[in-house]
Structure formats: C-alpha cells, structure tokens
Amino acid sequence: MWPLSSREQLTLELDEPPPRNAEELRTRLQRLGLRSQYRVRLTTNRTVVVSYSGGELRIHNSFLGADEDVWKAIIAFVHGRNRVVRQEARRTILQFPVARPNDPPRRRRRPERTHPADIPFIRELTRWHTAYNDARFSGALREIPIRISRRMAVEGCAPEIVLSRRHIRRDGWDEALHTLLHEMVHQWQDEQGLVVDHGASFRAKARAVGITPLACRAVA
C-alpha cells in the first residue's frame, strides 16, 4: 500500500466527522494542544459555556459542532499565558452560537442584590483585601468587587470574590478571612496569566501568603 501524500492526508483530516461525545472531543482538543491532565465534560449550561477547574474542562455540548478555530480558542482560554490571549480567546468562544432556534425561552435569573445587613461585612472584607494585598502580595493585586451571597449557588462571569453569608455565620470570621486569602490566591493566578486551579502554583503561593493550600473551602 502506497503512503498517503500530504494533500491526501489533509483531505482525510478535513473530512473527519465531528466528535460525538466528550471523549472524542477531548481527543480532538489534545491533538490541537490541550494538555493531557484535562478531562472533558459536556454540559447544557448556556450561562457559562466553557469553564475549568480541578483538571476538568466543562464545555457546552453545542461545541461538538464547532470548527478548529473555536476549539483552539478554548485551548487558549485554558492555557493562555496572559490576560490578552485569554480575553481574545473568550471573545471567540462567546461568538459561537450556543442557543438553538427551537430552544424554549429561558428566564434570566435576576442578579442578586446586596442585602443591607451584609454591607458591613463587605466593607470589612474590602478593608482586609487591601491590607492582605499590601502585606502579602506586595500590592500587586487589582481592586476587585467583593460580594456576600445568600444563594446556595452563584452564577456569573465578571471577576469578583464571593463569600456566602452562611459560611461567615457558621464558621466565624477567622475562617472567612482564610477563604478571602484563598480567593485572592486565585485572583493572583488569573492576573499572572496562570491557570486558575489548585495545582502547584496555587499551593506554592498559598504557603507563601500563610494559608493552608486546601483544594476546597466552605464558601456555600
């Protein structure tokens, strides 16, 4: 059997059918540069269409039919080394049409408003964010909104730090400040262009700023 020419190989690749499930999509993404430690899970969440944490990459199932440029944008969103690269990738991802014409209309969840009783918590956490930023991050972090949530789940993509009121009341102020520092380490990862996870960079920075590098904290 004669070996395929480069032109014939290219034709075969272009004729390859779209992936049918998460594992086939993972194989295709790895071929384009996704690191092997990531597993892929398909979702139907149209609010957050692509997200990743803890070695899991969650992708809306409509991206099975995306082209390679969109898949490469997903990889750049995960592995991009700076904010500019990730923001450009994010724009490409959000331009991909997720909603289908026959989808039933979805009710948009109203943004959660700050409860007046939580304003003192937010002011105090904001003060501690500034103090921790100066003392433990050399003032390198940006100012970021801090919110107290009374919901069991939090949705949204805007950069912010969210602590639950239940966590503060149940576990106390010391634990709340520990959680704040934990989230500030994630903020540092994002602003440094690192993958936002609980891997080696998180653990090293957590120890450097004086907190236990646990993968999960009680924030809900």
Side-chain angles (χ1 to χ4, degrees):
M1 182 176 178
W2 295 102
L4 294 175
S5 68
S6 297
R7 183 179 296 276
E8 288 170 332
Q9 288 176 349
L10 178 60
T11 301
L12 287 176
E13 289 177 2
L14 292 175
D15 290 340
E16 189 174 5
R20 297 165 295 179
N21 52 49
E23 190 56 35
E24 289 185 5
L25 179 58
R26 179 174 181 262
T27 298
R28 203 73 65 89
L29 292 174
Q30 285 183 336
R31 189 186 305 166
L32 295 172
L34 181 70
R35 294 173 190 162
S36 60
Q37 72 263 30
Y38 280 97
R39 59 190 180 276
V40 172
R41 179 164 66 88
L42 297 177
T43 75
T44 58
N45 186 340
R46 287 179 294 174
T47 303
V48 182
V49 294
V50 176
S51 63
Y52 62 95
S53 65
E56 182 177 77
L57 175 57
R58 295 171 291 279
I59 305 174
H60 190 278
N61 58 19
S62 63
F63 285 84
L64 290 171
D67 58 31
E68 284 197 358
D69 287 340
V70 177
W71 291 340
K72 288 177 181 177
I74 292 174
I75 295 167
F77 180 71
V78 176
H79 297 317
R81 300 305 299 173
N82 58 64
R83 182 178 291 271
V84 173
V85 171
R86 293 200 309 277
Q87 289 293 343
E88 182 62 32
R90 184 175 182 273
R91 281 192 290 270
T92 299
I93 292 168
L94 292 178
Q95 288 170 0
F96 183 77
V98 170
R100 301 305 183 193
N102 296 327
D103 282 347
R106 293 179 77 234
R107 293 180 60 189
R108 293 181 61 88
R109 191 175 191 180
R110 295 177 62 186
E112 185 179 16
R113 294 182 178 179
T114 299
H115 192 283
D118 295 333
I119 293 176
F121 288 130
I122 293 172
R123 287 175 178 165
E124 189 66 6
L125 287 168
T126 300
R127 186 180 72 81
W128 276 101
H129 183 281
T130 300
Y132 282 149
N133 186 26
D134 291 341
R136 308 195 188 189
F137 295 86
S138 301
L141 299 182
R142 299 184 178 94
E143 292 184 6
I144 190 170
I146 296 177
R147 185 160 59 84
I148 302 296
S149 174
R150 294 180 175 225
R151 291 175 178 167
M152 291 302 294
V154 177
E155 295 179 353
C157 298
E160 60 180 0
I161 291 177
V162 181
L163 277 73
S164 86
R165 179 180 175 86
R166 179 185 171 200
H167 169 44
I168 297 172
R169 292 174 65 89
R170 180 189 61 199
D171 302 316
W173 192 246
D174 287 345
E175 277 297 303
L177 291 180
H178 192 293
T179 300
L180 174 65
L181 263 174
H182 179 109
E183 296 305 315
M184 289 176 71
V185 175
H186 285 314
Q187 180 187 353
W188 171 83
Q189 286 179 306
D190 180 63
E191 293 181 4
Q192 292 295 311
L194 302 171
V195 175
V196 180
D197 61 9
H198 295 100
S201 70
F202 174 87
R203 293 192 297 271
K205 190 65 174 179
R207 293 189 184 97
V209 300
I211 62 171
T212 305
L214 299 178
C216 297
R217 303 292 295 178
V219 295

PDB file of all heavy atoms in Angstrom, residues 1-31:
ATOM      1  N   MET A   1       0.860  -1.202   0.000  1.00  0.00           N
ATOM      2  CA  MET A   1       0.000   0.000   0.000  1.00  0.00           C
ATOM      3  C   MET A   1       0.887   1.239   0.000  1.00  0.00           C
ATOM      4  O   MET A   1       1.821   1.358   0.795  1.00  0.00           O
ATOM      5  CB  MET A   1      -0.903   0.000   1.239  1.00  0.00           C
ATOM      6  CG  MET A   1      -1.853   1.181   1.294  1.00  0.00           C
ATOM      7  SD  MET A   1      -2.988   1.068   2.716  1.00  0.00           S
ATOM      8  CE  MET A   1      -3.888   2.588   2.495  1.00  0.00           C
ATOM      9  N   TRP A   2       0.604   2.195  -0.913  1.00  0.00           N
ATOM     10  CA  TRP A   2       1.417   3.389  -1.013  1.00  0.00           C
ATOM     11  C   TRP A   2       1.091   4.343   0.136  1.00  0.00           C
ATOM     12  O   TRP A   2      -0.050   4.464   0.561  1.00  0.00           O
ATOM     13  CB  TRP A   2       1.152   4.102  -2.350  1.00  0.00           C
ATOM     14  CG  TRP A   2       1.566   3.295  -3.537  1.00  0.00           C
ATOM     15  CD1 TRP A   2       0.759   2.577  -4.358  1.00  0.00           C
ATOM     16  CD2 TRP A   2       2.888   3.103  -4.004  1.00  0.00           C
ATOM     17  NE1 TRP A   2       1.476   1.939  -5.319  1.00  0.00           N
ATOM     18  CE2 TRP A   2       2.823   2.244  -5.135  1.00  0.00           C
ATOM     19  CE3 TRP A   2       4.149   3.559  -3.591  1.00  0.00           C
ATOM     20  CZ2 TRP A   2       3.932   1.856  -5.845  1.00  0.00           C
ATOM     21  CZ3 TRP A   2       5.263   3.172  -4.301  1.00  0.00           C
ATOM     22  CH2 TRP A   2       5.149   2.319  -5.411  1.00  0.00           C
ATOM     23  N   PRO A   3       2.104   5.031   0.681  1.00  0.00           N
ATOM     24  CA  PRO A   3       1.842   6.023   1.738  1.00  0.00           C
ATOM     25  C   PRO A   3       1.027   7.183   1.186  1.00  0.00           C
ATOM     26  O   PRO A   3       1.138   7.537   0.012  1.00  0.00           O
ATOM     27  CB  PRO A   3       3.239   6.469   2.171  1.00  0.00           C
ATOM     28  CG  PRO A   3       4.122   6.172   0.996  1.00  0.00           C
ATOM     29  CD  PRO A   3       3.549   4.938   0.349  1.00  0.00           C
ATOM     30  N   LEU A   4       0.211   7.788   2.043  1.00  0.00           N
ATOM     31  CA  LEU A   4      -0.603   8.918   1.635  1.00  0.00           C
ATOM     32  C   LEU A   4       0.250  10.161   1.450  1.00  0.00           C
ATOM     33  O   LEU A   4       1.184  10.403   2.220  1.00  0.00           O
ATOM     34  CB  LEU A   4      -1.686   9.203   2.680  1.00  0.00           C
ATOM     35  CG  LEU A   4      -2.761   8.134   2.864  1.00  0.00           C
ATOM     36  CD1 LEU A   4      -3.680   8.532   4.025  1.00  0.00           C
ATOM     37  CD2 LEU A   4      -3.589   7.959   1.602  1.00  0.00           C
ATOM     38  N   SER A   5      -0.046  10.934   0.428  1.00  0.00           N
ATOM     39  CA  SER A   5       0.628  12.214   0.262  1.00  0.00           C
ATOM     40  C   SER A   5       0.088  13.198   1.276  1.00  0.00           C
ATOM     41  O   SER A   5      -0.941  12.981   1.908  1.00  0.00           O
ATOM     42  CB  SER A   5       0.373  12.753  -1.159  1.00  0.00           C
ATOM     43  OG  SER A   5      -0.997  13.105  -1.304  1.00  0.00           O
ATOM     44  N   SER A   6       0.806  14.334   1.442  1.00  0.00           N
ATOM     45  CA  SER A   6       0.369  15.365   2.382  1.00  0.00           C
ATOM     46  C   SER A   6      -1.004  15.890   1.995  1.00  0.00           C
ATOM     47  O   SER A   6      -1.858  16.154   2.847  1.00  0.00           O
ATOM     48  CB  SER A   6       1.376  16.516   2.417  1.00  0.00           C
ATOM     49  OG  SER A   6       2.635  16.063   2.879  1.00  0.00           O
ATOM     50  N   ARG A   7      -1.260  16.042   0.683  1.00  0.00           N
ATOM     51  CA  ARG A   7      -2.553  16.552   0.232  1.00  0.00           C
ATOM     52  C   ARG A   7      -3.666  15.567   0.589  1.00  0.00           C
ATOM     53  O   ARG A   7      -4.741  15.947   1.046  1.00  0.00           O
ATOM     54  CB  ARG A   7      -2.527  16.804  -1.275  1.00  0.00           C
ATOM     55  CG  ARG A   7      -3.831  17.417  -1.801  1.00  0.00           C
ATOM     56  CD  ARG A   7      -3.713  17.671  -3.303  1.00  0.00           C
ATOM     57  NE  ARG A   7      -2.686  18.642  -3.598  1.00  0.00           N
ATOM     58  CZ  ARG A   7      -2.865  19.952  -3.562  1.00  0.00           C
ATOM     59  NH1 ARG A   7      -4.050  20.443  -3.195  1.00  0.00           N
ATOM     60  NH2 ARG A   7      -1.897  20.777  -3.851  1.00  0.00           N
ATOM     61  N   GLU A   8      -3.400  14.263   0.409  1.00  0.00           N
ATOM     62  CA  GLU A   8      -4.400  13.251   0.729  1.00  0.00           C
ATOM     63  C   GLU A   8      -4.662  13.201   2.227  1.00  0.00           C
ATOM     64  O   GLU A   8      -5.793  13.038   2.676  1.00  0.00           O
ATOM     65  CB  GLU A   8      -3.933  11.884   0.224  1.00  0.00           C
ATOM     66  CG  GLU A   8      -4.000  11.762  -1.310  1.00  0.00           C
ATOM     67  CD  GLU A   8      -3.307  10.511  -1.802  1.00  0.00           C
ATOM     68  OE1 GLU A   8      -2.377  10.059  -1.104  1.00  0.00           O
ATOM     69  OE2 GLU A   8      -3.684   9.991  -2.861  1.00  0.00           O
ATOM     70  N   GLN A   9      -3.598  13.350   3.039  1.00  0.00           N
ATOM     71  CA  GLN A   9      -3.764  13.358   4.482  1.00  0.00           C
ATOM     72  C   GLN A   9      -4.609  14.550   4.916  1.00  0.00           C
ATOM     73  O   GLN A   9      -5.487  14.432   5.778  1.00  0.00           O
ATOM     74  CB  GLN A   9      -2.398  13.401   5.154  1.00  0.00           C
ATOM     75  CG  GLN A   9      -1.624  12.088   5.047  1.00  0.00           C
ATOM     76  CD  GLN A   9      -0.242  12.211   5.645  1.00  0.00           C
ATOM     77  OE1 GLN A   9       0.214  13.306   5.946  1.00  0.00           O
ATOM     78  NE2 GLN A   9       0.431  11.097   5.815  1.00  0.00           N
ATOM     79  N   LEU A  10      -4.376  15.718   4.314  1.00  0.00           N
ATOM     80  CA  LEU A  10      -5.134  16.901   4.649  1.00  0.00           C
ATOM     81  C   LEU A  10      -6.606  16.700   4.306  1.00  0.00           C
ATOM     82  O   LEU A  10      -7.493  17.067   5.070  1.00  0.00           O
ATOM     83  CB  LEU A  10      -4.569  18.113   3.898  1.00  0.00           C
ATOM     84  CG  LEU A  10      -5.293  19.447   4.111  1.00  0.00           C
ATOM     85  CD1 LEU A  10      -5.271  19.842   5.581  1.00  0.00           C
ATOM     86  CD2 LEU A  10      -4.674  20.533   3.248  1.00  0.00           C
ATOM     87  N   THR A  11      -6.878  16.077   3.147  1.00  0.00           N
ATOM     88  CA  THR A  11      -8.254  15.830   2.746  1.00  0.00           C
ATOM     89  C   THR A  11      -8.951  14.922   3.745  1.00  0.00           C
ATOM     90  O   THR A  11     -10.101  15.154   4.130  1.00  0.00           O
ATOM     91  CB  THR A  11      -8.301  15.202   1.345  1.00  0.00           C
ATOM     92  OG1 THR A  11      -7.665  16.084   0.428  1.00  0.00           O
ATOM     93  CG2 THR A  11      -9.740  14.958   0.910  1.00  0.00           C
ATOM     94  N   LEU A  12      -8.237  13.888   4.211  1.00  0.00           N
ATOM     95  CA  LEU A  12      -8.831  12.989   5.184  1.00  0.00           C
ATOM     96  C   LEU A  12      -9.158  13.719   6.482  1.00  0.00           C
ATOM     97  O   LEU A  12     -10.200  13.489   7.094  1.00  0.00           O
ATOM     98  CB  LEU A  12      -7.886  11.819   5.456  1.00  0.00           C
ATOM     99  CG  LEU A  12      -7.758  10.779   4.338  1.00  0.00           C
ATOM    100  CD1 LEU A  12      -6.711   9.751   4.716  1.00  0.00           C
ATOM    101  CD2 LEU A  12      -9.098  10.093   4.071  1.00  0.00           C
ATOM    102  N   GLU A  13      -8.259  14.596   6.933  1.00  0.00           N
ATOM    103  CA  GLU A  13      -8.498  15.338   8.164  1.00  0.00           C
ATOM    104  C   GLU A  13      -9.697  16.263   8.029  1.00  0.00           C
ATOM    105  O   GLU A  13     -10.517  16.386   8.929  1.00  0.00           O
ATOM    106  CB  GLU A  13      -7.256  16.144   8.539  1.00  0.00           C
ATOM    107  CG  GLU A  13      -6.101  15.273   9.018  1.00  0.00           C
ATOM    108  CD  GLU A  13      -4.865  16.085   9.303  1.00  0.00           C
ATOM    109  OE1 GLU A  13      -4.943  17.325   9.159  1.00  0.00           O
ATOM    110  OE2 GLU A  13      -3.825  15.505   9.663  1.00  0.00           O
ATOM    111  N   LEU A  14      -9.824  16.907   6.855  1.00  0.00           N
ATOM    112  CA  LEU A  14     -10.949  17.811   6.659  1.00  0.00           C
ATOM    113  C   LEU A  14     -12.269  17.059   6.601  1.00  0.00           C
ATOM    114  O   LEU A  14     -13.314  17.595   6.945  1.00  0.00           O
ATOM    115  CB  LEU A  14     -10.744  18.622   5.374  1.00  0.00           C
ATOM    116  CG  LEU A  14      -9.600  19.645   5.401  1.00  0.00           C
ATOM    117  CD1 LEU A  14      -9.432  20.276   4.037  1.00  0.00           C
ATOM    118  CD2 LEU A  14      -9.874  20.716   6.440  1.00  0.00           C
ATOM    119  N   ASP A  15     -12.235  15.811   6.147  1.00  0.00           N
ATOM    120  CA  ASP A  15     -13.448  15.012   6.036  1.00  0.00           C
ATOM    121  C   ASP A  15     -13.797  14.302   7.338  1.00  0.00           C
ATOM    122  O   ASP A  15     -14.800  13.590   7.396  1.00  0.00           O
ATOM    123  CB  ASP A  15     -13.283  13.963   4.928  1.00  0.00           C
ATOM    124  CG  ASP A  15     -13.255  14.612   3.535  1.00  0.00           C
ATOM    125  OD1 ASP A  15     -13.733  15.754   3.417  1.00  0.00           O
ATOM    126  OD2 ASP A  15     -12.759  13.968   2.602  1.00  0.00           O
ATOM    127  N   GLU A  16     -12.988  14.455   8.373  1.00  0.00           N
ATOM    128  CA  GLU A  16     -13.234  13.767   9.636  1.00  0.00           C
ATOM    129  C   GLU A  16     -14.549  14.246  10.239  1.00  0.00           C
ATOM    130  O   GLU A  16     -14.796  15.445  10.339  1.00  0.00           O
ATOM    131  CB  GLU A  16     -12.079  14.048  10.604  1.00  0.00           C
ATOM    132  CG  GLU A  16     -12.124  13.205  11.861  1.00  0.00           C
ATOM    133  CD  GLU A  16     -10.891  13.414  12.712  1.00  0.00           C
ATOM    134  OE1 GLU A  16     -10.066  14.280  12.357  1.00  0.00           O
ATOM    135  OE2 GLU A  16     -10.753  12.718  13.733  1.00  0.00           O
ATOM    136  N   PRO A  17     -15.416  13.319  10.633  1.00  0.00           N
ATOM    137  CA  PRO A  17     -16.709  13.744  11.191  1.00  0.00           C
ATOM    138  C   PRO A  17     -16.524  14.448  12.519  1.00  0.00           C
ATOM    139  O   PRO A  17     -15.524  14.258  13.211  1.00  0.00           O
ATOM    140  CB  PRO A  17     -17.458  12.413  11.362  1.00  0.00           C
ATOM    141  CG  PRO A  17     -16.380  11.380  11.496  1.00  0.00           C
ATOM    142  CD  PRO A  17     -15.263  11.860  10.619  1.00  0.00           C
ATOM    143  N   PRO A  18     -17.492  15.277  12.924  1.00  0.00           N
ATOM    144  CA  PRO A  18     -17.375  15.979  14.210  1.00  0.00           C
ATOM    145  C   PRO A  18     -17.406  14.988  15.362  1.00  0.00           C
ATOM    146  O   PRO A  18     -17.978  13.896  15.246  1.00  0.00           O
ATOM    147  CB  PRO A  18     -18.591  16.897  14.223  1.00  0.00           C
ATOM    148  CG  PRO A  18     -19.556  16.281  13.268  1.00  0.00           C
ATOM    149  CD  PRO A  18     -18.723  15.625  12.209  1.00  0.00           C
ATOM    150  N   PRO A  19     -16.802  15.329  16.478  1.00  0.00           N
ATOM    151  CA  PRO A  19     -16.847  14.439  17.651  1.00  0.00           C
ATOM    152  C   PRO A  19     -18.285  14.263  18.115  1.00  0.00           C
ATOM    153  O   PRO A  19     -19.117  15.163  18.008  1.00  0.00           O
ATOM    154  CB  PRO A  19     -15.992  15.170  18.690  1.00  0.00           C
ATOM    155  CG  PRO A  19     -15.981  16.599  18.248  1.00  0.00           C
ATOM    156  CD  PRO A  19     -16.077  16.580  16.766  1.00  0.00           C
ATOM    157  N   ARG A  20     -18.561  13.060  18.674  1.00  0.00           N
ATOM    158  CA  ARG A  20     -19.930  12.731  19.089  1.00  0.00           C
ATOM    159  C   ARG A  20     -20.130  12.770  20.592  1.00  0.00           C
ATOM    160  O   ARG A  20     -21.256  12.749  21.074  1.00  0.00           O
ATOM    161  CB  ARG A  20     -20.303  11.338  18.577  1.00  0.00           C
ATOM    162  CG  ARG A  20     -20.319  11.216  17.063  1.00  0.00           C
ATOM    163  CD  ARG A  20     -20.332   9.771  16.635  1.00  0.00           C
ATOM    164  NE  ARG A  20     -19.095   9.109  17.038  1.00  0.00           N
ATOM    165  CZ  ARG A  20     -18.838   7.818  16.815  1.00  0.00           C
ATOM    166  NH1 ARG A  20     -19.729   7.060  16.222  1.00  0.00           N
ATOM    167  NH2 ARG A  20     -17.682   7.300  17.204  1.00  0.00           N
ATOM    168  N   ASN A  21     -19.033  12.806  21.344  1.00  0.00           N
ATOM    169  CA  ASN A  21     -19.153  12.766  22.802  1.00  0.00           C
ATOM    170  C   ASN A  21     -17.941  13.443  23.427  1.00  0.00           C
ATOM    171  O   ASN A  21     -17.041  13.927  22.716  1.00  0.00           O
ATOM    172  CB  ASN A  21     -19.279  11.310  23.283  1.00  0.00           C
ATOM    173  CG  ASN A  21     -18.173  10.419  22.737  1.00  0.00           C
ATOM    174  OD1 ASN A  21     -16.992  10.761  22.805  1.00  0.00           O
ATOM    175  ND2 ASN A  21     -18.546   9.273  22.173  1.00  0.00           N
ATOM    176  N   ALA A  22     -17.907  13.469  24.752  1.00  0.00           N
ATOM    177  CA  ALA A  22     -16.852  14.186  25.472  1.00  0.00           C
ATOM    178  C   ALA A  22     -15.477  13.594  25.190  1.00  0.00           C
ATOM    179  O   ALA A  22     -14.501  14.335  25.025  1.00  0.00           O
ATOM    180  CB  ALA A  22     -17.149  14.176  26.974  1.00  0.00           C
ATOM    181  N   GLU A  23     -15.375  12.282  25.132  1.00  0.00           N
ATOM    182  CA  GLU A  23     -14.069  11.658  24.936  1.00  0.00           C
ATOM    183  C   GLU A  23     -13.520  11.939  23.540  1.00  0.00           C
ATOM    184  O   GLU A  23     -12.331  12.201  23.370  1.00  0.00           O
ATOM    185  CB  GLU A  23     -14.161  10.146  25.181  1.00  0.00           C
ATOM    186  CG  GLU A  23     -12.817   9.442  25.229  1.00  0.00           C
ATOM    187  CD  GLU A  23     -11.859  10.027  26.271  1.00  0.00           C
ATOM    188  OE1 GLU A  23     -12.332  10.455  27.338  1.00  0.00           O
ATOM    189  OE2 GLU A  23     -10.638  10.057  26.001  1.00  0.00           O
ATOM    190  N   GLU A  24     -14.391  11.909  22.546  1.00  0.00           N
ATOM    191  CA  GLU A  24     -13.930  12.226  21.193  1.00  0.00           C
ATOM    192  C   GLU A  24     -13.530  13.690  21.077  1.00  0.00           C
ATOM    193  O   GLU A  24     -12.551  14.024  20.398  1.00  0.00           O
ATOM    194  CB  GLU A  24     -15.021  11.891  20.171  1.00  0.00           C
ATOM    195  CG  GLU A  24     -15.241  10.391  19.994  1.00  0.00           C
ATOM    196  CD  GLU A  24     -16.241  10.077  18.893  1.00  0.00           C
ATOM    197  OE1 GLU A  24     -16.685  11.024  18.199  1.00  0.00           O
ATOM    198  OE2 GLU A  24     -16.567   8.886  18.715  1.00  0.00           O
ATOM    199  N   LEU A  25     -14.266  14.572  21.762  1.00  0.00           N
ATOM    200  CA  LEU A  25     -13.880  15.992  21.759  1.00  0.00           C
ATOM    201  C   LEU A  25     -12.551  16.178  22.476  1.00  0.00           C
ATOM    202  O   LEU A  25     -11.695  16.950  22.028  1.00  0.00           O
ATOM    203  CB  LEU A  25     -14.968  16.831  22.426  1.00  0.00           C
ATOM    204  CG  LEU A  25     -14.693  18.338  22.518  1.00  0.00           C
ATOM    205  CD1 LEU A  25     -14.456  18.945  21.142  1.00  0.00           C
ATOM    206  CD2 LEU A  25     -15.836  19.058  23.221  1.00  0.00           C
ATOM    207  N   ARG A  26     -12.355  15.469  23.575  1.00  0.00           N
ATOM    208  CA  ARG A  26     -11.082  15.556  24.306  1.00  0.00           C
ATOM    209  C   ARG A  26      -9.921  15.117  23.411  1.00  0.00           C
ATOM    210  O   ARG A  26      -8.864  15.766  23.383  1.00  0.00           O
ATOM    211  CB  ARG A  26     -11.144  14.675  25.554  1.00  0.00           C
ATOM    212  CG  ARG A  26      -9.879  14.650  26.387  1.00  0.00           C
ATOM    213  CD  ARG A  26     -10.114  13.869  27.668  1.00  0.00           C
ATOM    214  NE  ARG A  26      -8.948  13.822  28.521  1.00  0.00           N
ATOM    215  CZ  ARG A  26      -8.098  12.796  28.565  1.00  0.00           C
ATOM    216  NH1 ARG A  26      -8.295  11.742  27.789  1.00  0.00           N
ATOM    217  NH2 ARG A  26      -7.052  12.832  29.378  1.00  0.00           N
ATOM    218  N   THR A  27     -10.113  14.050  22.666  1.00  0.00           N
ATOM    219  CA  THR A  27      -9.067  13.581  21.751  1.00  0.00           C
ATOM    220  C   THR A  27      -8.743  14.643  20.711  1.00  0.00           C
ATOM    221  O   THR A  27      -7.574  14.912  20.408  1.00  0.00           O
ATOM    222  CB  THR A  27      -9.518  12.289  21.054  1.00  0.00           C
ATOM    223  OG1 THR A  27      -9.730  11.277  22.049  1.00  0.00           O
ATOM    224  CG2 THR A  27      -8.465  11.802  20.065  1.00  0.00           C
ATOM    225  N   ARG A  28      -9.778  15.279  20.170  1.00  0.00           N
ATOM    226  CA  ARG A  28      -9.576  16.314  19.161  1.00  0.00           C
ATOM    227  C   ARG A  28      -8.864  17.523  19.766  1.00  0.00           C
ATOM    228  O   ARG A  28      -7.956  18.093  19.158  1.00  0.00           O
ATOM    229  CB  ARG A  28     -10.934  16.723  18.590  1.00  0.00           C
ATOM    230  CG  ARG A  28     -10.887  17.349  17.199  1.00  0.00           C
ATOM    231  CD  ARG A  28     -10.584  16.299  16.118  1.00  0.00           C
ATOM    232  NE  ARG A  28     -11.638  15.325  16.017  1.00  0.00           N
ATOM    233  CZ  ARG A  28     -12.716  15.452  15.235  1.00  0.00           C
ATOM    234  NH1 ARG A  28     -12.873  16.534  14.499  1.00  0.00           N
ATOM    235  NH2 ARG A  28     -13.606  14.496  15.161  1.00  0.00           N
ATOM    236  N   LEU A  29      -9.250  17.910  20.977  1.00  0.00           N
ATOM    237  CA  LEU A  29      -8.609  19.056  21.626  1.00  0.00           C
ATOM    238  C   LEU A  29      -7.160  18.753  21.980  1.00  0.00           C
ATOM    239  O   LEU A  29      -6.286  19.617  21.858  1.00  0.00           O
ATOM    240  CB  LEU A  29      -9.391  19.447  22.883  1.00  0.00           C
ATOM    241  CG  LEU A  29     -10.791  20.025  22.662  1.00  0.00           C
ATOM    242  CD1 LEU A  29     -11.507  20.216  23.998  1.00  0.00           C
ATOM    243  CD2 LEU A  29     -10.724  21.342  21.909  1.00  0.00           C
ATOM    244  N   GLN A  30      -6.881  17.530  22.414  1.00  0.00           N
ATOM    245  CA  GLN A  30      -5.498  17.166  22.721  1.00  0.00           C
ATOM    246  C   GLN A  30      -4.638  17.204  21.471  1.00  0.00           C
ATOM    247  O   GLN A  30      -3.467  17.593  21.522  1.00  0.00           O
ATOM    248  CB  GLN A  30      -5.456  15.779  23.358  1.00  0.00           C
ATOM    249  CG  GLN A  30      -5.927  15.757  24.798  1.00  0.00           C
ATOM    250  CD  GLN A  30      -5.797  14.390  25.424  1.00  0.00           C
ATOM    251  OE1 GLN A  30      -5.788  13.370  24.736  1.00  0.00           O
ATOM    252  NE2 GLN A  30      -5.702  14.353  26.740  1.00  0.00           N
ATOM    253  N   ARG A  31      -5.204  16.826  20.352  1.00  0.00           N
ATOM    254  CA  ARG A  31      -4.466  16.888  19.098  1.00  0.00           C
ATOM    255  C   ARG A  31      -4.088  18.334  18.764  1.00  0.00           C
ATOM    256  O   ARG A  31      -3.057  18.590  18.138  1.00  0.00           O
ATOM    257  CB  ARG A  31      -5.322  16.294  17.977  1.00  0.00           C
ATOM    258  CG  ARG A  31      -4.582  16.097  16.654  1.00  0.00           C
ATOM    259  CD  ARG A  31      -5.543  15.646  15.578  1.00  0.00           C
ATOM    260  NE  ARG A  31      -6.266  14.454  15.967  1.00  0.00           N
ATOM    261  CZ  ARG A  31      -7.346  14.006  15.321  1.00  0.00           C
ATOM    262  NH1 ARG A  31      -7.831  14.669  14.283  1.00  0.00           N
ATOM    263  NH2 ARG A  31      -7.943  12.909  15.731  1.00  0.00           N
TER     264      ARG A  31
END
